[in-house]
Amino acid sequence: MPRTARDVVFVDGVRTPFGKAGPKGLYAETRADDLVVRAIRELMRRNPSLPPERVDEVAIAATTQTGDQGLTIGRSAAVLAGLPKSVPGYAIDRMCAGAMTAVTTTGAGISFGSYDVVIAGGVEHMGRHPMGEGVDPNPRFLADRLVDTSALVMGSTAENLHDRFPGITKERADAYAVRSQQKVAAAYAAGKIQPDLVPTAIRSVEKGYGLATTDEPPRPGTTLEDLAKLKTPFRPHGNVTAGNAAGLNDGATACLLAAEDVARELGLAPKMRLVDFSFAGVEPEVMGVGPVPATEKLLARNSLTMDDIGLIEINEAFAVQVLAFLEHFKIADDDARVNPWGGAIALGHPLASSGVRLMNQLARLFAERTDVRYGLTTMCVGMGMGGTVLWENVNWEGAK
């Protein structure tokens, strides 16, 4: 029997506070699976009208799927979170776009009619599992000259992007990074970030038990003078530093998606509507440019231009990657549409979890900006990819 595509909505999203990776970070003694379980439980607690048995799938992403990030983490997290044993789950890996892919894949399943309600998200504990742990790249990548050696080091790909866009200087990247820190500090002061955060129990050998309630990575008060002093570890006299790039971080995200008619039947209030998504490949050596073709494909398919987009949440893996996107689309570095509450340079980027953080922030911005109809969440992806998701504000005043 022919099926009619259904509208898919983003109902709710949460995340743990993000921590710094390493032995002194927030989550040094916390398991990765416990982080994502905390997010799932909070998502269910915040939506009491949703019967747990109505969840049709749990899709959780992790880039390094080993140890406490392995064991088909979507299924294991569902069981640990107390969902009925009848709820299946699976794991996803698209590096930085893991959680984004969890959303687009399960969202497509909802549209097709295979699911009514799903939980999608991601987790990355870069302190326990550094990016590349246990990876054995095929020697043909280099022997057959399929990629340059720099393609396997994300910081080096960012330096390559500076070469590709010579107008993006270190000073310009640093200025963008300072604005990200300033915007996050202002958003925290205004109480914009906190509603997404799930207080998470932590344990330290030195300090005992505690509760993480705020993000650890932000560095309020960062100045251009501070950033100018930092080393450029990926190239002598280069442009990429720890100050104009996202750090190494731990954290988890989870969101609730549903068919729009089912959401309303269950008394769930949609925050935004999934319109379309696109992924694209680029040269791995300049993976940061990935959001450009992904966004171009998406806008063209939906007969839209960047002028139709009122909000843009772009992951700040590196300042140069964001600036390349803005330069391509002729958007000013300080355009008010772009990351109004700051981004990953300040908040952190626990790889596979970040896609849903972008969506959480866009959903909250939509609630305040009923004048905006369309928004994007977009990010670059290791090994030369980009992903972009187009969302519609369900509270857009033009629809009334």
Side-chain angles (χ1 to χ4, degrees):
M1 177 180 293
R3 301 189 185 195
T4 302
R6 300 187 298 173
D7 285 334
V8 181
V9 292
F10 182 101
V11 173
D12 200 3
V14 299
R15 67 178 178 89
T16 66
F18 289 169
K20 295 179 181 179
K24 295 184 179 180
L26 275 179
Y27 302 121
E29 303 297 327
T30 303
R31 290 178 59 96
D33 47 12
D34 283 337
L35 291 177
V36 74
V37 164
R38 182 73 188 93
I40 293 172
R41 285 177 173 170
E42 178 66 9
L43 201 57
M44 298 302 293
R45 187 192 70 80
R46 293 190 187 191
N47 295 275
S49 67
L50 173 63
E53 64 272 12
R54 291 297 300 271
V55 177
D56 294 311
E57 187 73 271
V58 177
I60 300 297
T63 301
T64 307
Q65 295 187 13
T66 187
D68 52 355
Q69 289 182 179
L71 197 62
T72 313
I73 194 165
R75 170 60 174 176
S76 58
V79 172
L80 289 166
L83 293 177
K85 300 297 194 300
S86 58
V87 178
Y90 64 104
I92 287 177
D93 173 19
R94 201 200 289 261
M95 289 192 169
C96 303
M100 175 178 282
T101 304
V103 167
T104 58
T105 301
T106 55
I110 292 171
S111 179
F112 187 70
S114 299
Y115 307 133
D116 285 337
V117 181
V118 303
I119 291 173
V123 62
E124 207 74 51
H125 199 307
M126 300 180 75
R128 282 176 174 261
H129 307 294
M131 184 167 60
E133 178 190 25
V135 171
D136 179 20
N138 193 303
R140 290 202 305 108
F141 277 123
L142 301 181
D144 293 357
R145 297 184 180 180
L146 300 174
V147 299
D148 183 77
T149 55
S150 62
L152 304 179
V153 180
M154 297 302 100
S156 296
T157 69
E159 290 285 9
N160 292 342
L161 202 54
H162 273 285
D163 296 340
R164 181 72 63 91
F165 290 83
I168 303 177
T169 62
K170 180 179 183 297
E171 292 71 25
R172 188 174 162 193
D174 285 350
Y176 181 89
V178 168
R179 284 195 298 274
S180 182
Q181 295 285 353
Q182 292 170 341
K183 287 191 284 187
V184 166
Y188 254 106
K192 305 295 187 183
I193 303 292
Q194 295 90 326
D196 286 342
L197 303 182
V198 183
T200 303
I202 56 176
R203 174 183 173 274
S204 166
V205 173
E206 296 179 357
K207 300 178 181 179
Y209 288 92
L211 196 65
T213 58
T214 60
D215 294 303
E216 187 179 22
R219 298 180 296 277
T222 297
T223 66
L224 284 172
E225 292 73 22
D226 294 331
L227 298 189
K229 300 173 185 176
L230 298 178
K231 296 179 181 179
T232 58
F234 303 104
R235 182 184 295 179
H237 310 293
N239 299 288
V240 179
T241 71
N244 59 33
L248 304 179
N249 305 107
D250 309 328
T253 59
C255 71
L256 195 62
L257 305 174
E260 187 162 9
D261 58 337
V262 174
R264 301 198 185 279
E265 168 206 332
L266 295 174
L268 303 171
K271 290 183 170 64
M272 55 187 184
R273 187 174 295 111
L274 175 59
V275 179
D276 198 0
F277 62 89
S278 179
F279 291 92
V282 296
E283 300 159 83
E285 294 84 356
V286 285
M287 67 93 196
V289 80
V292 169
T295 302
E296 287 182 324
K297 286 171 60 178
L298 190 61
L299 294 177
R301 191 162 61 226
N302 290 276
S303 300
L304 297 172
T305 71
M306 198 57 81
D307 291 338
D308 297 305
I309 306 302
L311 289 165
I312 302 167
E313 283 291 324
I314 180 169
N315 192 47
E316 298 171 354
F318 300 94
V320 63
Q321 157 254 314
V322 178
L323 294 170
F325 177 90
L326 300 182
E327 190 164 297
H328 177 85
F329 287 105
K330 297 180 172 57
I331 298 171
D333 292 4
D334 59 353
D335 192 300
R337 295 176 293 172
V338 181
N339 293 2
W341 296 344
I345 287 174
L347 291 169
H349 174 32
L351 300 182
S353 68
S354 288
V356 166
R357 182 194 64 78
L358 300 175
M359 296 169 193
N360 289 348
Q361 290 194 193
L362 179 61
R364 293 201 179 275
L365 284 160
F366 270 158
E368 295 187 3
R369 296 289 306 278
T370 58
D371 59 310
V372 171
R373 182 177 185 181
Y374 293 118
L376 296 178
T377 55
T378 185
M379 60 201 315
C380 61
V381 189
M383 287 302 293
M385 292 180 284
T388 305
V389 186
L390 175 64
W391 300 92
E392 183 178 27
N393 189 351
V394 297
N395 297 310
W396 176 53
E397 58 193 28
K400 299 176 183 178

